[in-house]
Amino acid sequence: MILSTNHPASFYYTLIRESPGIITFLHSDFTIQFHSASFYACTDYQPEETLGENFLQVLHPLDVQPLVTALMGVKSDARSKSRLPLRLRKGSGGYVTVETTVTCVTSYNIVEGYILYSQQNSFLDPDHAFRTQPGEAKSELNFTAKNKSGNINLSPSAGGPTGPTLYAAAEEGITGSMEARPQLDAYHLELQLYRDALDKSVLVATADTTGNIIQVNDLLCNRARYSREELLGKELRILLNSGSHSESFLNYVRETISQGREWRGELCNRTKDGNVYWVEALIQPQMTQGKVSRYLFFGYELTGRKLIEEKIRRSEVRLREAQAVARIGNWEYDPGNRQLVWSDEVFSIYGIDPSGGVPSFDELAKFHHPEDWLVLQEASDLAGVHHEVQTIDVRIIRPDNTVRYINIIGKPVVADNGGVTKLYGTVMDINDRKLAEKSLQQHNDELQRINRQLDRFVYSATHDLRAPLMSMKGLVNLAQIDTEPDQQEKYYQMMLRSIEKLDNIIRDIVDISRNRRTDVQTEKIDFAQIIREIGEGLSHLPGAESIAVRVDVKGDTPFCSDAKRLVIMFNNLLSNAFRYSDSEKADPFVEVDVDITDREAVIRISDNGIGIGSEHLPRIFDMFYRATDSRDGTGLGLYLVKEIVDILGGTVQLQSQLKAGTIFTITLPNRKF
């Protein structure tokens, strides 16, 4: 029995066949009468492999009894439904699980068969859909019924009322309508089966050419919360007033169907009580003599899937926001094709534009510090060998050439054969933490240095401060015993030298303290004037009159730095050069050369004094360290010089040879910018 595709029954059949859900018709003995295309898509069977076979054979053995129980339940109460999960055996092996609703079909209170319906999103991802592709042919509904006399074809009655129950039977090879009655009843039962399946799974409405509803099924009425009377005669768009679609979109849909072309897509509808629900819709124009005579609307509800999609979308948004706040991204790596997958935050951490795609594994090398790239590759190899989680801190080089620290954690996915099929993990921006750790380490180092200096200071200060005091105490006792004026004058001079030594120690200690506590004050420096004034102040030292002082300042570029600190630095260096001059040499000298540029000033102070032994050079800048006791000194001068140079951001180098002389080379940055 063949029905023309222009007949409503054929349309129902086509819709059921292409339904996104799995629809199965079973005879009362559980043999398979019909499957929708979705069944074959998810189970990999062909129609000839299943039609006429017992449906229980495609079930997991443990699901046979639950299904039989469900079928017997709906058989005992034809108005009831049963819902249960079923595992369908796939033609290619394995199982696919679907959530199935079971109902029965009756005729004159006799169970003729069963309908099994499963929603698409119970077994497929939310973005999957079964749609007829352009160019695909739609099969006609083909019934074959036989009796003893031959075949019977059923077709729509010409010129009669349209409807799924009015048909004329034409017998080939027999005469008389009474003899064809059993075949006609069988066809009516088949047609009713399709209608029942539609009414239980698809929202159906019919509208005239003006868009007014002229027919609607119970399922749509129930879902929209309208009675049939409230919908009949109303515009179809009464269901589309959710506000989710623009007017231009709705105009496009109207224009498409008015031209006789079907429209498929997702629509957001609103119920009478104001709630919204989503449907996968098909609007099919029905043509009569080349013109649209009415529109058929079929909808498969997607609200559950949409809720899942929205939940997933919100979860992804929250995940992206959390990753952005925590500066953590996630990644995957396929060793087989050497392909990487990054989350948005990984792009942000690396400073790479996501529109350019993820760099290849080989390209990734240029975004890592060369030393750390080798370490990262070793960690990746270890993960593959030991199948353990690896964590490593590395430096990356962003496109703007800034260097940042990141933490990478990777975990391997190991196949049954022991091979690594995938690596996945996280990337965390730890630059602030690393900088804080470095700063903390520097502070700890500085604290340890200060503690060491404090220990030396306490020891040396106790010794060096008490020495002049004890000397003065002894001289006072001598002056009280020896009352000769000449001797007492001698004692007074010795006391004065002890007081001066004590004063020098205290002054140096004050300078050290002030140098550490005072901020750098930048001003224009006149090197020649500073050196001249210090030289004049040192002219009272013994032997100063025989020392030649030569000063050469080169460069017209203005130089800016801290003048007070430079005075202290030059005073200590020049006073040492005077104090440790070699009186046995015929021409003792002190030379000061200054070379000024835009970036820095290089200061070179040289003399031909007694020099410093090589064994003393490593500790010459230590607090209270003295290389010789042959001359007076506090042991704090060079320590203070080094402290000043460090604070000003410069460097100091020392060259010296015993009995040959000493050269200090100091480089200071120009702070004029």
Side-chain angles (χ1 to χ4, degrees):
M1 175 165 58
I2 301 176
L3 295 181
S4 168
T5 54
N6 290 327
H7 194 275
S10 176
F11 184 79
Y12 284 134
Y13 172 80
T14 302
L15 184 66
I16 293 172
R17 188 197 64 187
E18 297 181 2
S19 170
I22 294 178
I23 299 177
T24 299
F25 297 159
L26 302 181
H27 286 295
S28 58
D29 61 356
F30 307 154
T31 55
I32 300 170
Q33 182 182 3
F34 171 83
H35 280 311
S36 64
S38 303
F39 174 87
Y40 299 111
C42 76
T43 62
D44 302 327
Y45 285 113
Q46 297 299 321
E48 60 270 14
E49 296 179 280
T50 60
L51 294 180
E53 300 295 331
N54 194 305
F55 183 73
L56 303 181
Q57 295 178 355
V58 300
L59 289 180
H60 190 284
L62 297 180
D63 292 343
V64 171
Q65 186 58 47
L67 177 60
V68 172
T69 302
L71 293 174
M72 294 302 99
V74 298
K75 181 178 180 181
S76 63
D77 182 0
R79 293 174 299 178
S80 66
K81 298 180 182 180
S82 181
R83 189 176 182 88
L84 73 164
L86 294 178
R87 286 165 289 184
L88 304 180
R89 180 182 289 110
K90 299 178 66 174
S92 57
Y95 292 89
V96 58
T97 302
V98 296
E99 191 73 20
T100 304
T101 300
V102 179
T103 61
C104 72
V105 179
T106 62
S107 177
Y108 304 106
N109 297 322
I110 298 174
V111 174
E112 300 287 348
Y114 303 95
I115 301 174
L116 279 63
Y117 176 74
S118 303
Q119 289 189 354
Q120 175 190 338
N121 60 8
S122 65
F123 64 91
L124 291 175
D125 66 89
D127 293 326
H128 192 84
F130 294 94
R131 295 184 175 90
T132 302
Q133 300 300 320
E136 287 186 354
K138 295 184 179 180
S139 302
E140 293 183 341
L141 183 61
N142 187 351
F143 293 104
T144 301
K146 294 185 178 181
N147 63 11
K148 296 179 181 180
S149 303
N151 296 331
I152 294 177
N153 290 332
L154 292 183
S155 60
S157 56
T162 60
T165 61
L166 298 178
Y167 302 92
E171 181 178 359
E172 294 177 0
I174 63 172
T175 59
S177 61
M178 294 302 294
E179 296 180 10
R181 184 65 188 182
Q183 284 76 15
L184 184 59
D185 288 343
Y187 170 70
H188 286 164
L189 175 63
E190 194 85 15
L191 182 58
Q192 187 62 40
L193 189 68
Y194 294 140
R195 292 200 61 183
D196 288 347
L198 281 176
D199 283 337
K200 293 175 180 178
S201 59
V202 181
L203 311 175
V204 182
T206 305
D208 60 21
T209 55
T210 63
N212 292 329
I213 299 172
I214 58 177
Q215 187 179 3
V216 62
N217 72 344
D218 291 339
L219 190 62
L220 179 54
C221 292
N222 293 336
R223 187 63 187 91
R225 303 292 191 270
Y226 286 101
S227 67
R228 180 173 279 99
E229 291 72 19
E230 289 177 309
L231 289 176
L232 293 178
K234 301 296 192 302
E235 286 191 26
L236 189 61
R237 66 180 299 162
I238 189 176
L239 303 173
L240 303 177
N241 61 349
S242 64
S244 300
H245 304 297
S246 65
E247 192 63 32
S248 61
F249 170 78
L250 297 176
N251 288 335
Y252 168 75
V253 175
R254 280 194 292 268
E255 181 181 352
T256 299
I257 61 177
S258 65
Q259 295 174 359
R261 293 183 287 124
E262 70 175 33
W263 181 88
R264 293 173 181 258
E266 295 179 355
L267 292 175
C268 184
N269 298 349
R270 186 178 297 277
T271 64
K272 181 180 179 181
D273 54 11
N275 295 318
V276 298
Y277 61 99
W278 284 85
V279 295
E280 178 79 21
L282 166 64
I283 303 178
Q284 176 71 57
Q286 190 166 28
M287 310 298 292
T288 301
Q289 297 180 349
K291 295 182 179 180
V292 176
S293 58
R294 62 176 178 173
Y295 300 103
L296 300 179
F297 171 88
F298 301 91
Y300 169 72
E301 185 163 3
L302 301 176
T303 305
R305 194 187 83 185
K306 281 293 184 179
L307 292 175
I308 294 173
E309 289 177 349
E310 179 62 17
K311 186 176 181 180
I312 293 173
R313 188 192 67 80
R314 291 180 180 178
S315 296
E316 289 176 345
V317 170
R318 287 194 294 268
L319 178 60
R320 285 196 297 269
E321 291 174 348
Q323 287 189 348
V325 171
R327 298 290 287 163
I328 298 176
N330 61 287
W331 57 270
E332 290 184 9
Y333 174 62
D334 185 342
N337 56 25
R338 297 171 67 84
Q339 291 296 312
L340 279 167
V341 177
W342 281 0
S343 69
D344 291 345
E345 190 56 29
V346 178
F347 284 99
S348 176
I349 292 173
Y350 276 82
I352 299 175
D353 185 358
S355 63
V358 181
S360 68
F361 189 82
D362 295 330
E363 293 173 338
L364 201 60
K366 68 181 181 181
F367 294 105
H368 289 82
H369 193 282
E371 297 174 1
D372 295 350
W373 178 246
L374 297 176
V375 177
L376 181 59
Q377 287 181 308
E378 291 176 1
S380 177
D381 294 340
L382 287 175
V385 172
H386 299 294
H387 300 168
E388 296 176 349
V389 175
Q390 299 291 321
T391 180
I392 186 173
D393 295 346
V394 296
R395 289 163 290 179
I396 60 172
I397 303 174
R398 291 157 59 101
D400 59 1
N401 290 324
T402 58
V403 177
R404 297 186 70 85
Y405 283 90
I406 64 172
N407 171 262
I408 300 178
I409 299 176
K411 181 178 181 180
V413 176
V414 184
D416 294 338
N417 62 4
V420 175
T421 60
K422 183 174 69 173
L423 289 169
Y424 68 94
T426 60
V427 173
M428 178 186 294
D429 187 335
I430 59 171
N431 197 64
D432 293 343
R433 190 188 81 188
K434 278 291 185 180
L435 295 180
E437 289 175 354
K438 282 191 171 184
S439 176
L440 181 60
Q441 185 61 46
Q442 291 173 353
H443 281 86
N444 288 338
D445 293 343
E446 178 68 12
L447 183 60
Q448 292 178 6
R449 186 181 68 85
I450 292 173
N451 286 337
R452 290 194 298 270
Q453 292 175 351
L454 181 61
D455 291 341
R456 289 197 301 270
F457 174 79
V458 171
Y459 172 79
S460 300
T462 301
H463 176 270
D464 291 350
L465 289 174
R466 289 188 76 245
L469 291 175
M470 295 304 295
S471 176
M472 284 188 292
K473 183 178 180 181
L475 291 171
V476 170
N477 291 334
L478 289 174
Q480 290 176 340
I481 297 173
D482 192 347
T483 58
E484 288 292 328
D486 293 340
Q487 284 296 111
Q488 286 190 338
E489 180 63 27
K490 179 181 177 182
Y491 296 149
Y492 293 152
Q493 291 298 324
M494 294 173 66
M495 289 182 191
L496 182 60
R497 287 196 295 273
S498 294
I499 292 172
E500 289 177 349
K501 182 177 181 180
L502 184 61
D503 181 63
N504 289 336
I505 294 173
I506 294 173
R507 187 172 61 249
D508 286 345
I509 292 174
V510 170
D511 287 340
I512 292 172
S513 175
R514 185 179 293 121
N515 179 63
R516 291 177 178 174
R517 292 184 293 104
T518 307
D519 293 334
V520 175
Q521 302 294 325
T522 302
E523 59 183 283
K524 187 176 180 181
I525 303 300
D526 187 341
F527 284 103
Q529 180 179 351
I530 290 175
I531 296 168
R532 182 174 61 254
E533 291 177 354
I534 291 175
E536 292 173 355
L538 298 175
S539 60
H540 68 280
L541 293 177
E545 68 281 356
S546 62
I547 300 175
V549 178
R550 295 188 285 271
V551 179
D552 184 15
V553 179
K554 298 177 182 178
D556 298 330
T557 301
F559 183 83
C560 295
S561 190
D562 192 314
K564 293 181 180 179
R565 284 184 168 89
L566 291 184
V567 168
I568 296 173
M569 182 190 76
F570 276 111
N571 185 69
N572 278 282
L573 291 172
L574 293 176
S575 64
N576 277 358
F578 276 63
R579 186 176 293 110
Y580 298 104
S581 63
D582 191 347
S583 59
E584 295 181 359
K585 294 178 180 177
D587 55 347
F589 68 86
V590 176
E591 292 182 349
V592 181
D593 297 304
V594 182
D595 190 3
I596 303 172
T597 66
D598 284 339
R599 295 183 57 188
E600 60 190 16
V602 179
I603 303 165
R604 186 174 182 271
I605 300 176
S606 58
D607 63 63
N608 61 347
I610 63 175
I612 303 171
S614 59
E615 69 276 14
H616 299 292
L617 294 180
R619 298 188 57 195
I620 200 64
F621 293 107
D622 289 353
M623 181 183 287
F624 290 112
Y625 187 82
R626 298 181 61 200
T628 179
D629 292 328
S630 63
R631 311 290 170 90
D632 291 336
T634 64
L636 295 173
L638 292 182
Y639 170 81
L640 183 55
V641 168
K642 181 67 166 59
E643 288 275 300
I644 290 174
V645 172
D646 287 345
I647 287 180
L648 295 180
T651 61
V652 56
Q653 296 177 338
L654 168 63
Q655 296 173 282
S656 187
Q657 185 176 350
L658 198 61
K659 297 183 180 180
T662 301
I663 301 174
F664 286 93
T665 303
I666 300 168
T667 303
L668 297 176
N670 194 341
R671 305 174 72 93
K672 70 176 182 177
F673 301 113

